[in-house]
Amino acid sequence: MILSLSLRRFLALLFAVPLLACSGGASDDGKHGGPVVLAAASMHDALEEAADEWAGQGHARPVLSFAASSAMARQIEAGAPADMFVSADEAWMDELEEGGFIRDGSRAVMATNALVLIGPSDGSLTLDPVSGFDLADALHGGRLAVAETESVPAGRYAKAALSQLGVWDSVKDRLAPAENVRAALLLVARGAAPLGVTYATDAASEPRVRVVGTFPAHSHPAIRYPVAMVATSKAAEAADFRDYLLSDAGQAVLAGHGFGPAEQAAHD
């Protein structure tokens, strides 16, 4: 059974604090652990490596927690202990900023990404996502794996692209919705869905899938990852880790995982 959006938000609020309380985050003075970072699921591999690099410089390793940006934003609104938030879109960061949940002056675009159509790695299908392309036929009776399209950034980007290209109506009743982009990726990787829509970085991280086509940048809002400090953060090193992610060294780690540089955001 697919949960309604309101029920999913209620559950996110209900379990937010217990979930993070078990993650071993920093104390109020930040001395007993690294800063707690809530981040978009698509940032998993890149931030894990960045955290290792940061810890290798003698800092306490950040405590990382990953899920859909929507779920993480709701946790912050519910008062979950956190020091930093990395969103896969501007909208969720906007909501937190408007609500006073992030620290003034700490917001910055950290990375960019692209949207792709994926299929199994042993397939040979190639599609060019242009206006009116026959995506429904390419599913061969199967379903299209996407992150939830009303609140999760990857799903909203997918819906925007498919709508702009004129194929949304032909596939909207043939979706395999997932709680985040990594879950959508796994549906294709495990053969549960013949095709899916993910970020380019997720496709590159999973050897069981291949890129079938790349959505044109004009078909969806620019995919930007803003980072900001949570307003209630007291962890001493949280701001320093944020600055590291925006530095040349941090950007090199992100680039190694396929993310575009933050500078691109100024030209979109």
Side-chain angles (χ1 to χ4, degrees):
M1 180 177 68
I2 298 175
L3 295 175
S4 69
L5 179 58
S6 60
L7 180 55
R8 282 196 299 273
R9 286 180 173 175
F10 170 76
L11 292 175
L13 293 176
L14 181 63
F15 293 107
V17 175
L19 173 65
L20 288 173
C22 296
S23 67
S27 64
D28 284 348
D29 61 7
K31 294 180 180 179
H32 301 294
V36 175
V37 180
L38 305 190
S42 54
M43 272 281 169
H44 183 279
D45 298 347
L47 283 186
E48 288 287 358
E49 181 178 342
D52 287 341
E53 292 289 334
W54 180 247
Q57 297 175 20
H59 305 282
R61 191 183 192 280
V63 178
L64 306 176
S65 185
F66 302 93
S69 299
S70 51
M72 291 308 193
R74 293 305 182 194
Q75 288 184 13
I76 292 171
E77 290 174 329
D83 300 301
M84 186 187 307
F85 176 48
V86 180
S87 175
D89 72 355
E90 302 273 14
W92 283 110
M93 192 67 82
D94 288 344
E95 178 169 317
L96 292 183
E97 186 168 25
E98 290 165 5
F101 292 99
I102 66 172
R103 185 172 299 170
D104 290 345
S106 69
R107 178 174 176 173
V109 174
M110 190 175 80
T112 56
N113 213 333
L115 195 70
V116 298
L117 186 67
I118 61 170
S121 59
D122 59 357
S124 58
L125 176 68
T126 298
L127 284 176
D128 185 11
V130 295
S131 181
F133 78 111
D134 200 350
L135 179 58
D137 184 65
L139 291 171
H140 296 295
R143 292 185 174 271
L144 179 68
V146 293
E148 196 277 320
T149 58
E150 295 304 313
S151 64
V152 180
R156 294 199 294 207
Y157 291 129
K159 182 177 179 180
L162 296 173
S163 297
Q164 201 280 335
L165 296 174
V167 298
W168 172 252
D169 286 342
S170 68
V171 299
K172 66 181 181 181
D173 295 325
R174 300 176 64 181
L175 303 180
E179 64 183 9
N180 59 57
V181 69
R182 284 299 175 101
L185 176 74
L186 285 176
L187 287 175
V188 179
R190 294 172 178 173
L195 295 172
V197 181
T198 70
Y199 300 125
T201 52
D202 294 294
S205 74
E206 174 53 72
R208 292 173 293 178
V209 308
R210 55 186 285 272
V211 174
V212 170
T214 300
F215 290 92
H218 67 76
S219 68
H220 56 80
I223 302 173
R224 297 168 174 159
Y225 288 74
V227 58
M229 300 290 298
V230 177
T232 56
S233 172
K234 296 180 181 179
E237 286 197 324
D240 292 336
F241 183 59
R242 169 198 171 276
D243 292 345
Y244 166 74
L245 293 173
L246 295 170
S247 71
D248 289 345
Q251 290 289 295
V253 172
L254 297 177
H257 289 270
F259 288 95
E263 295 82 47
Q264 287 185 0
H267 305 294
D268 287 335

